Amino acid sequence: MSSERGTPVGRRVVLGMAGLGVAGVAVGAAVQRGVNRALAPVKNVLPAAGGWRYYSVTGSVHRRTPQGYRLAVSGMVDAPRAFSMADLAKLKQTRVTRDFQCVTGWRVPQVAWGGVALRDLLDAVGASGDAAAVRFKSFDGLYTESLTMEQARRPDVLVATMMLGGAVTHDHGGPVRLFVAPMYGYKSLKWLGAVEVVDEVVAGYWERRGYDVDAWVGKSNGRDDEPT
Ligand SMILES: Nc1nc2c(c(=O)[nH]1)N[C@H]1C(S)=C(S)[C@@H](COP(=O)(O)O)O[C@H]1N2
Ligand SMILES: [Mo]
């Protein structure tokens, strides 16, 4: 606990641990280490130009070329499908320009993104009206995220193929990543490999390690008092 430093995320985790009892202590300590890793720049957090930091929870991620890339969309849908970059380009294109904000405090103002609104992708495969959530898997093999169906259908949630006026670079999670504009950066999963329409939200990589599942900027992770 001495390494906890009173960060908002840390406090949230500690409060969560209080309910776990003795059996939860070992797990709680592991969670705390995970959160500390998230807050402290380590080998997989590289400072980058323009105020960005490149994040990866894995050591290195295999590159996918635009030609070889496929996005698998499956689950509670009429027509499961693997989308190539060309397939994505044929869908309606949407642009969103918004701040990009990591829960650890860094923010890049007014980043221009382009790609397919997630709701248009969901419509293209006929996502079931009974489905409650959408899960995302990274082709890094480890990182996962999810959104409720209501969140997923917001117009400012993108399957991004463009960023800052060009292709999404490998370091930023290309060729295709998520951009979830109203939420902290950890929702914006990099190296998007699979989208699955499901019946419940499943906590993602950082959420199992203490972050809030609903990650609204300014209204989650103990940041309720901050202006957005
Ligand atoms: N696959 C994957 N996606 C990820 C992460 C990660 O480690 N792996 N980190 C998340 C976090 S915490 C942030 S703030 C952003 C950072 O995006 P960037 O690396 O393009 O700056 O990616 C998010 N998506
Ligand atoms: Mo982040």
Side-chain angles (χ1 to χ4, degrees), residues 33 47 121:
R33 275 196 302 279
L121 187 77

Side-chain angles (χ1 to χ4, degrees), residues 130-142:
D130 294 334
V134 184
R135 289 192 77 187
F136 309 95
K137 287 181 188 153
S138 172
F139 63 77
D140 69 9
L142 200 57

